[in-house]
PDB file of all heavy atoms in Angstrom:
ATOM      1  N   SER A 265     -11.379 -50.606  46.888  1.00 88.00           N
ATOM      2  CA  SER A 265     -10.500 -51.409  46.147  1.00 88.00           C
ATOM      3  C   SER A 265     -11.088 -51.851  44.773  1.00 88.00           C
ATOM      4  O   SER A 265     -10.317 -51.783  43.769  1.00 88.00           O
ATOM      5  CB  SER A 265     -10.191 -52.782  46.918  1.00 88.00           C
ATOM      6  OG  SER A 265      -9.304 -53.610  46.258  1.00 88.00           O
ATOM      7  N   PHE A 266     -12.336 -52.181  44.733  1.00 90.00           N
ATOM      8  CA  PHE A 266     -12.997 -52.461  43.432  1.00 90.00           C
ATOM      9  C   PHE A 266     -12.935 -51.239  42.509  1.00 90.00           C
ATOM     10  O   PHE A 266     -12.618 -51.355  41.283  1.00 90.00           O
ATOM     11  CB  PHE A 266     -14.398 -52.850  43.702  1.00 90.00           C
ATOM     12  CG  PHE A 266     -15.156 -53.188  42.404  1.00 90.00           C
ATOM     13  CD1 PHE A 266     -14.797 -54.279  41.683  1.00 90.00           C
ATOM     14  CD2 PHE A 266     -16.180 -52.318  41.932  1.00 90.00           C
ATOM     15  CE1 PHE A 266     -15.488 -54.538  40.460  1.00 90.00           C
ATOM     16  CE2 PHE A 266     -16.897 -52.598  40.804  1.00 90.00           C
ATOM     17  CZ  PHE A 266     -16.540 -53.687  40.062  1.00 90.00           C
ATOM     18  N   PHE A 267     -13.333 -50.017  43.030  1.00 94.00           N
ATOM     19  CA  PHE A 267     -13.312 -48.882  42.147  1.00 94.00           C
ATOM     20  C   PHE A 267     -11.799 -48.637  41.636  1.00 94.00           C
ATOM     21  O   PHE A 267     -11.656 -48.235  40.454  1.00 94.00           O
ATOM     22  CB  PHE A 267     -13.741 -47.636  42.912  1.00 94.00           C
ATOM     23  CG  PHE A 267     -15.226 -47.595  43.119  1.00 94.00           C
ATOM     24  CD1 PHE A 267     -15.756 -47.082  44.299  1.00 94.00           C
ATOM     25  CD2 PHE A 267     -16.116 -48.087  42.189  1.00 94.00           C
ATOM     26  CE1 PHE A 267     -17.080 -47.058  44.497  1.00 94.00           C
ATOM     27  CE2 PHE A 267     -17.488 -48.054  42.365  1.00 94.00           C
ATOM     28  CZ  PHE A 267     -17.929 -47.561  43.518  1.00 94.00           C
ATOM     29  N   ARG A 268     -10.827 -48.796  42.447  1.00 93.00           N
ATOM     30  CA  ARG A 268      -9.439 -48.529  42.013  1.00 93.00           C
ATOM     31  C   ARG A 268      -8.996 -49.553  40.959  1.00 93.00           C
ATOM     32  O   ARG A 268      -8.345 -49.221  39.995  1.00 93.00           O
ATOM     33  CB  ARG A 268      -8.480 -48.550  43.217  1.00 93.00           C
ATOM     34  CG  ARG A 268      -8.728 -47.373  44.123  1.00 93.00           C
ATOM     35  CD  ARG A 268      -7.678 -47.257  45.178  1.00 93.00           C
ATOM     36  NE  ARG A 268      -8.086 -46.204  46.147  1.00 93.00           N
ATOM     37  CZ  ARG A 268      -7.957 -44.856  45.842  1.00 93.00           C
ATOM     38  NH1 ARG A 268      -7.393 -44.490  44.784  1.00 93.00           N
ATOM     39  NH2 ARG A 268      -8.309 -44.058  46.760  1.00 93.00           N
ATOM     40  N   LEU A 269      -9.482 -50.837  41.154  1.00 89.00           N
ATOM     41  CA  LEU A 269      -9.174 -51.836  40.128  1.00 89.00           C
ATOM     42  C   LEU A 269      -9.849 -51.502  38.789  1.00 89.00           C
ATOM     43  O   LEU A 269      -9.208 -51.632  37.729  1.00 89.00           O
ATOM     44  CB  LEU A 269      -9.700 -53.239  40.600  1.00 89.00           C
ATOM     45  CG  LEU A 269      -9.499 -54.322  39.652  1.00 89.00           C
ATOM     46  CD1 LEU A 269      -8.097 -54.565  39.321  1.00 89.00           C
ATOM     47  CD2 LEU A 269     -10.121 -55.630  40.227  1.00 89.00           C
ATOM     48  N   MET A 270     -11.056 -51.008  38.784  1.00 91.00           N
ATOM     49  CA  MET A 270     -11.733 -50.574  37.585  1.00 91.00           C
ATOM     50  C   MET A 270     -11.040 -49.424  36.919  1.00 91.00           C
ATOM     51  O   MET A 270     -10.991 -49.321  35.674  1.00 91.00           O
ATOM     52  CB  MET A 270     -13.132 -50.223  37.830  1.00 91.00           C
ATOM     53  CG  MET A 270     -14.100 -51.390  38.254  1.00 91.00           C
ATOM     54  SD  MET A 270     -14.249 -52.642  36.962  1.00 91.00           S
ATOM     55  CE  MET A 270     -13.025 -53.926  37.503  1.00 91.00           C
ATOM     56  N   ASP A 271     -10.332 -48.579  37.736  1.00 94.00           N
ATOM     57  CA  ASP A 271      -9.486 -47.559  37.158  1.00 94.00           C
ATOM     58  C   ASP A 271      -8.235 -48.122  36.513  1.00 94.00           C
ATOM     59  O   ASP A 271      -7.866 -47.796  35.337  1.00 94.00           O
ATOM     60  CB  ASP A 271      -9.100 -46.528  38.271  1.00 94.00           C
ATOM     61  CG  ASP A 271      -8.121 -45.463  37.773  1.00 94.00           C
ATOM     62  OD1 ASP A 271      -8.535 -44.676  36.846  1.00 94.00           O
ATOM     63  OD2 ASP A 271      -6.970 -45.415  38.252  1.00 94.00           O
ATOM     64  N   ASP A 272      -7.623 -49.062  37.170  1.00 90.00           N
ATOM     65  CA  ASP A 272      -6.456 -49.704  36.671  1.00 90.00           C
ATOM     66  C   ASP A 272      -6.744 -50.429  35.382  1.00 90.00           C
ATOM     67  O   ASP A 272      -5.903 -50.549  34.525  1.00 90.00           O
ATOM     68  CB  ASP A 272      -5.921 -50.764  37.662  1.00 90.00           C
ATOM     69  CG  ASP A 272      -5.288 -50.060  38.938  1.00 90.00           C
ATOM     70  OD1 ASP A 272      -5.065 -48.871  38.911  1.00 90.00           O
ATOM     71  OD2 ASP A 272      -5.183 -50.753  39.963  1.00 90.00           O
ATOM     72  N   MET A 273      -7.900 -51.062  35.247  1.00 85.00           N
ATOM     73  CA  MET A 273      -8.221 -51.939  34.144  1.00 85.00           C
ATOM     74  C   MET A 273      -9.307 -51.338  33.215  1.00 85.00           C
ATOM     75  O   MET A 273      -9.965 -52.052  32.457  1.00 85.00           O
ATOM     76  CB  MET A 273      -8.762 -53.284  34.635  1.00 85.00           C
ATOM     77  CG  MET A 273      -7.783 -53.979  35.546  1.00 85.00           C
ATOM     78  SD  MET A 273      -8.210 -55.708  35.878  1.00 85.00           S
ATOM     79  CE  MET A 273      -7.837 -56.419  34.287  1.00 85.00           C
ATOM     80  N   GLN A 274      -9.386 -49.994  33.156  1.00 88.00           N
ATOM     81  CA  GLN A 274     -10.523 -49.426  32.410  1.00 88.00           C
ATOM     82  C   GLN A 274     -10.300 -49.663  30.928  1.00 88.00           C
ATOM     83  O   GLN A 274     -11.373 -49.809  30.181  1.00 88.00           O
ATOM     84  CB  GLN A 274     -10.584 -47.871  32.673  1.00 88.00           C
ATOM     85  CG  GLN A 274      -9.340 -47.110  32.389  1.00 88.00           C
ATOM     86  CD  GLN A 274      -9.466 -45.616  32.870  1.00 88.00           C
ATOM     87  OE1 GLN A 274     -10.121 -44.885  32.157  1.00 88.00           O
ATOM     88  NE2 GLN A 274      -8.996 -45.294  34.006  1.00 88.00           N
ATOM     89  N   GLU A 275      -9.165 -49.731  30.424  1.00 86.00           N
ATOM     90  CA  GLU A 275      -9.001 -50.114  28.995  1.00 86.00           C
ATOM     91  C   GLU A 275      -9.503 -51.484  28.643  1.00 86.00           C
ATOM     92  O   GLU A 275     -10.253 -51.660  27.678  1.00 86.00           O
ATOM     93  CB  GLU A 275      -7.493 -50.009  28.616  1.00 86.00           C
ATOM     94  CG  GLU A 275      -6.837 -48.637  28.707  1.00 86.00           C
ATOM     95  CD  GLU A 275      -7.484 -47.571  27.744  1.00 86.00           C
ATOM     96  OE1 GLU A 275      -8.253 -47.998  26.886  1.00 86.00           O
ATOM     97  OE2 GLU A 275      -7.319 -46.403  27.954  1.00 86.00           O
ATOM     98  N   GLU A 276      -9.125 -52.486  29.496  1.00 82.00           N
ATOM     99  CA  GLU A 276      -9.642 -53.804  29.303  1.00 82.00           C
ATOM    100  C   GLU A 276     -11.166 -53.909  29.357  1.00 82.00           C
ATOM    101  O   GLU A 276     -11.838 -54.565  28.555  1.00 82.00           O
ATOM    102  CB  GLU A 276      -9.058 -54.761  30.324  1.00 82.00           C
ATOM    103  CG  GLU A 276      -7.536 -55.038  30.163  1.00 82.00           C
ATOM    104  CD  GLU A 276      -6.655 -54.095  30.989  1.00 82.00           C
ATOM    105  OE1 GLU A 276      -7.100 -52.943  31.146  1.00 82.00           O
ATOM    106  OE2 GLU A 276      -5.585 -54.495  31.410  1.00 82.00           O
ATOM    107  N   VAL A 277     -11.750 -53.220  30.409  1.00 82.00           N
ATOM    108  CA  VAL A 277     -13.171 -53.253  30.516  1.00 82.00           C
ATOM    109  C   VAL A 277     -13.900 -52.645  29.376  1.00 82.00           C
ATOM    110  O   VAL A 277     -14.903 -53.126  28.853  1.00 82.00           O
ATOM    111  CB  VAL A 277     -13.576 -52.563  31.865  1.00 82.00           C
ATOM    112  CG1 VAL A 277     -15.127 -52.366  31.939  1.00 82.00           C
ATOM    113  CG2 VAL A 277     -13.069 -53.379  33.069  1.00 82.00           C
ATOM    114  N   LEU A 278     -13.355 -51.514  28.852  1.00 84.00           N
ATOM    115  CA  LEU A 278     -13.945 -50.817  27.762  1.00 84.00           C
ATOM    116  C   LEU A 278     -13.948 -51.699  26.530  1.00 84.00           C
ATOM    117  O   LEU A 278     -14.947 -51.795  25.768  1.00 84.00           O
ATOM    118  CB  LEU A 278     -13.231 -49.544  27.434  1.00 84.00           C
ATOM    119  CG  LEU A 278     -13.577 -48.344  28.313  1.00 84.00           C
ATOM    120  CD1 LEU A 278     -12.586 -47.149  28.124  1.00 84.00           C
ATOM    121  CD2 LEU A 278     -14.959 -47.856  28.090  1.00 84.00           C
ATOM    122  N   ILE A 279     -12.798 -52.341  26.278  1.00 80.00           N
ATOM    123  CA  ILE A 279     -12.672 -53.177  25.123  1.00 80.00           C
ATOM    124  C   ILE A 279     -13.681 -54.396  25.246  1.00 80.00           C
ATOM    125  O   ILE A 279     -14.337 -54.747  24.232  1.00 80.00           O
ATOM    126  CB  ILE A 279     -11.213 -53.699  25.000  1.00 80.00           C
ATOM    127  CG1 ILE A 279     -10.350 -52.597  24.501  1.00 80.00           C
ATOM    128  CG2 ILE A 279     -11.130 -54.911  24.042  1.00 80.00           C
ATOM    129  CD1 ILE A 279      -8.889 -52.899  24.735  1.00 80.00           C
ATOM    130  N   LEU A 280     -13.745 -54.917  26.400  1.00 77.00           N
ATOM    131  CA  LEU A 280     -14.704 -56.079  26.630  1.00 77.00           C
ATOM    132  C   LEU A 280     -16.073 -55.707  26.163  1.00 77.00           C
ATOM    133  O   LEU A 280     -16.756 -56.391  25.523  1.00 77.00           O
ATOM    134  CB  LEU A 280     -14.633 -56.474  28.060  1.00 77.00           C
ATOM    135  CG  LEU A 280     -15.528 -57.629  28.524  1.00 77.00           C
ATOM    136  CD1 LEU A 280     -15.215 -58.957  27.779  1.00 77.00           C
ATOM    137  CD2 LEU A 280     -15.402 -57.864  29.966  1.00 77.00           C
ATOM    138  N   TYR A 281     -16.548 -54.558  26.664  1.00 79.00           N
ATOM    139  CA  TYR A 281     -17.947 -54.161  26.342  1.00 79.00           C
ATOM    140  C   TYR A 281     -18.131 -53.660  24.934  1.00 79.00           C
ATOM    141  O   TYR A 281     -19.187 -53.830  24.352  1.00 79.00           O
ATOM    142  CB  TYR A 281     -18.469 -53.107  27.379  1.00 79.00           C
ATOM    143  CG  TYR A 281     -18.865 -53.770  28.663  1.00 79.00           C
ATOM    144  CD1 TYR A 281     -17.881 -53.888  29.679  1.00 79.00           C
ATOM    145  CD2 TYR A 281     -20.095 -54.403  28.802  1.00 79.00           C
ATOM    146  CE1 TYR A 281     -18.197 -54.599  30.801  1.00 79.00           C
ATOM    147  CE2 TYR A 281     -20.454 -55.013  29.987  1.00 79.00           C
ATOM    148  CZ  TYR A 281     -19.521 -55.181  30.969  1.00 79.00           C
ATOM    149  OH  TYR A 281     -19.840 -55.811  32.150  1.00 79.00           O
ATOM    150  N   GLN A 282     -17.045 -53.138  24.281  1.00 79.00           N
ATOM    151  CA  GLN A 282     -17.156 -52.775  22.933  1.00 79.00           C
ATOM    152  C   GLN A 282     -17.284 -53.946  22.021  1.00 79.00           C
ATOM    153  O   GLN A 282     -18.022 -53.959  20.998  1.00 79.00           O
ATOM    154  CB  GLN A 282     -15.981 -51.910  22.551  1.00 79.00           C
ATOM    155  CG  GLN A 282     -15.980 -50.482  23.119  1.00 79.00           C
ATOM    156  CD  GLN A 282     -14.600 -49.859  23.013  1.00 79.00           C
ATOM    157  OE1 GLN A 282     -13.649 -50.466  22.539  1.00 79.00           O
ATOM    158  NE2 GLN A 282     -14.545 -48.552  23.333  1.00 79.00           N
ATOM    159  N   GLU A 283     -16.610 -55.063  22.401  1.00 76.00           N
ATOM    160  CA  GLU A 283     -16.499 -56.190  21.448  1.00 76.00           C
ATOM    161  C   GLU A 283     -17.467 -57.321  21.715  1.00 76.00           C
ATOM    162  O   GLU A 283     -17.723 -58.142  20.822  1.00 76.00           O
ATOM    163  CB  GLU A 283     -15.109 -56.733  21.480  1.00 76.00           C
ATOM    164  CG  GLU A 283     -14.032 -55.716  21.209  1.00 76.00           C
ATOM    165  CD  GLU A 283     -14.110 -55.113  19.760  1.00 76.00           C
ATOM    166  OE1 GLU A 283     -14.828 -55.711  18.957  1.00 76.00           O
ATOM    167  OE2 GLU A 283     -13.554 -54.057  19.500  1.00 76.00           O
ATOM    168  N   VAL A 284     -18.059 -57.390  22.956  1.00 76.00           N
ATOM    169  CA  VAL A 284     -18.900 -58.594  23.250  1.00 76.00           C
ATOM    170  C   VAL A 284     -20.064 -58.697  22.412  1.00 76.00           C
ATOM    171  O   VAL A 284     -20.483 -59.822  22.027  1.00 76.00           O
ATOM    172  CB  VAL A 284     -19.318 -58.494  24.769  1.00 76.00           C
ATOM    173  CG1 VAL A 284     -20.288 -57.360  25.009  1.00 76.00           C
ATOM    174  CG2 VAL A 284     -19.959 -59.879  25.246  1.00 76.00           C
ATOM    175  N   LYS A 285     -20.574 -57.542  21.886  1.00 76.00           N
ATOM    176  CA  LYS A 285     -21.794 -57.734  21.037  1.00 76.00           C
ATOM    177  C   LYS A 285     -21.535 -58.338  19.769  1.00 76.00           C
ATOM    178  O   LYS A 285     -22.454 -58.885  19.054  1.00 76.00           O
ATOM    179  CB  LYS A 285     -22.339 -56.265  20.777  1.00 76.00           C
ATOM    180  CG  LYS A 285     -21.428 -55.344  19.958  1.00 76.00           C
ATOM    181  CD  LYS A 285     -21.989 -53.994  19.778  1.00 76.00           C
ATOM    182  CE  LYS A 285     -20.990 -53.067  19.073  1.00 76.00           C
ATOM    183  NZ  LYS A 285     -19.741 -52.824  19.751  1.00 76.00           N
ATOM    184  N   SER A 286     -20.271 -58.373  19.262  1.00 69.00           N
ATOM    185  CA  SER A 286     -19.928 -59.010  18.002  1.00 69.00           C
ATOM    186  C   SER A 286     -19.469 -60.429  18.121  1.00 69.00           C
ATOM    187  O   SER A 286     -19.166 -61.062  17.080  1.00 69.00           O
ATOM    188  CB  SER A 286     -18.797 -58.186  17.315  1.00 69.00           C
ATOM    189  OG  SER A 286     -19.193 -56.858  17.172  1.00 69.00           O
ATOM    190  N   LEU A 287     -19.424 -60.999  19.277  1.00 72.00           N
ATOM    191  CA  LEU A 287     -18.912 -62.337  19.471  1.00 72.00           C
ATOM    192  C   LEU A 287     -19.958 -63.390  19.065  1.00 72.00           C
ATOM    193  O   LEU A 287     -21.194 -63.141  19.087  1.00 72.00           O
ATOM    194  CB  LEU A 287     -18.496 -62.559  20.946  1.00 72.00           C
ATOM    195  CG  LEU A 287     -17.305 -61.784  21.422  1.00 72.00           C
ATOM    196  CD1 LEU A 287     -17.098 -62.057  22.869  1.00 72.00           C
ATOM    197  CD2 LEU A 287     -16.057 -62.065  20.634  1.00 72.00           C
ATOM    198  N   LYS A 288     -19.504 -64.549  18.804  1.00 76.00           N
ATOM    199  CA  LYS A 288     -20.408 -65.714  18.548  1.00 76.00           C
ATOM    200  C   LYS A 288     -21.142 -66.037  19.879  1.00 76.00           C
ATOM    201  O   LYS A 288     -20.727 -65.667  20.921  1.00 76.00           O
ATOM    202  CB  LYS A 288     -19.632 -66.864  18.005  1.00 76.00           C
ATOM    203  CG  LYS A 288     -18.949 -66.648  16.676  1.00 76.00           C
ATOM    204  CD  LYS A 288     -18.070 -67.841  16.263  1.00 76.00           C
ATOM    205  CE  LYS A 288     -17.312 -67.590  15.018  1.00 76.00           C
ATOM    206  NZ  LYS A 288     -16.380 -68.694  14.694  1.00 76.00           N
ATOM    207  N   ARG A 289     -22.222 -66.702  19.697  1.00 83.00           N
ATOM    208  CA  ARG A 289     -23.073 -67.008  20.860  1.00 83.00           C
ATOM    209  C   ARG A 289     -22.339 -67.687  22.008  1.00 83.00           C
ATOM    210  O   ARG A 289     -22.490 -67.274  23.179  1.00 83.00           O
ATOM    211  CB  ARG A 289     -24.326 -67.856  20.411  1.00 83.00           C
ATOM    212  CG  ARG A 289     -25.241 -68.201  21.626  1.00 83.00           C
ATOM    213  CD  ARG A 289     -26.422 -68.973  21.134  1.00 83.00           C
ATOM    214  NE  ARG A 289     -27.199 -68.265  20.209  1.00 83.00           N
ATOM    215  CZ  ARG A 289     -28.311 -68.685  19.648  1.00 83.00           C
ATOM    216  NH1 ARG A 289     -28.725 -69.962  19.870  1.00 83.00           N
ATOM    217  NH2 ARG A 289     -29.021 -67.968  18.776  1.00 83.00           N
ATOM    218  N   GLU A 290     -21.591 -68.682  21.708  1.00 80.00           N
ATOM    219  CA  GLU A 290     -20.821 -69.445  22.760  1.00 80.00           C
ATOM    220  C   GLU A 290     -19.831 -68.462  23.460  1.00 80.00           C
ATOM    221  O   GLU A 290     -19.711 -68.493  24.699  1.00 80.00           O
ATOM    222  CB  GLU A 290     -20.066 -70.659  22.182  1.00 80.00           C
ATOM    223  CG  GLU A 290     -19.327 -71.479  23.255  1.00 80.00           C
ATOM    224  CD  GLU A 290     -18.594 -72.565  22.666  1.00 80.00           C
ATOM    225  OE1 GLU A 290     -18.657 -72.818  21.412  1.00 80.00           O
ATOM    226  OE2 GLU A 290     -17.877 -73.253  23.380  1.00 80.00           O
ATOM    227  N   SER A 291     -19.113 -67.706  22.678  1.00 76.00           N
ATOM    228  CA  SER A 291     -18.165 -66.778  23.243  1.00 76.00           C
ATOM    229  C   SER A 291     -18.873 -65.698  24.054  1.00 76.00           C
ATOM    230  O   SER A 291     -18.360 -65.363  25.149  1.00 76.00           O
ATOM    231  CB  SER A 291     -17.421 -66.114  22.074  1.00 76.00           C
ATOM    232  OG  SER A 291     -16.740 -67.078  21.298  1.00 76.00           O
ATOM    233  N   LYS A 292     -19.981 -65.181  23.586  1.00 81.00           N
ATOM    234  CA  LYS A 292     -20.702 -64.162  24.369  1.00 81.00           C
ATOM    235  C   LYS A 292     -21.185 -64.760  25.713  1.00 81.00           C
ATOM    236  O   LYS A 292     -21.131 -64.070  26.686  1.00 81.00           O
ATOM    237  CB  LYS A 292     -21.883 -63.641  23.562  1.00 81.00           C
ATOM    238  CG  LYS A 292     -22.549 -62.481  24.187  1.00 81.00           C
ATOM    239  CD  LYS A 292     -23.768 -62.025  23.336  1.00 81.00           C
ATOM    240  CE  LYS A 292     -23.287 -61.570  21.962  1.00 81.00           C
ATOM    241  NZ  LYS A 292     -24.477 -61.037  21.187  1.00 81.00           N
TER     242      LYS A 292
END
Side-chain angles (χ1 to χ4, degrees):
S265 183
F266 177 69
F267 285 144
R268 293 188 188 283
L269 177 60
M270 292 297 97
D271 176 63
D272 292 344
M273 303 193 72
Q274 57 186 283
E275 297 295 347
E276 290 94 328
V277 172
L278 281 170
I279 288 166
L280 178 60
Y281 281 93
Q282 287 168 351
E283 302 300 343
V284 68
K285 62 183 182 296
S286 302
L287 294 176
K288 298 175 184 177
R289 180 177 297 179
E290 180 182 357
S291 303
K292 187 182 296 185

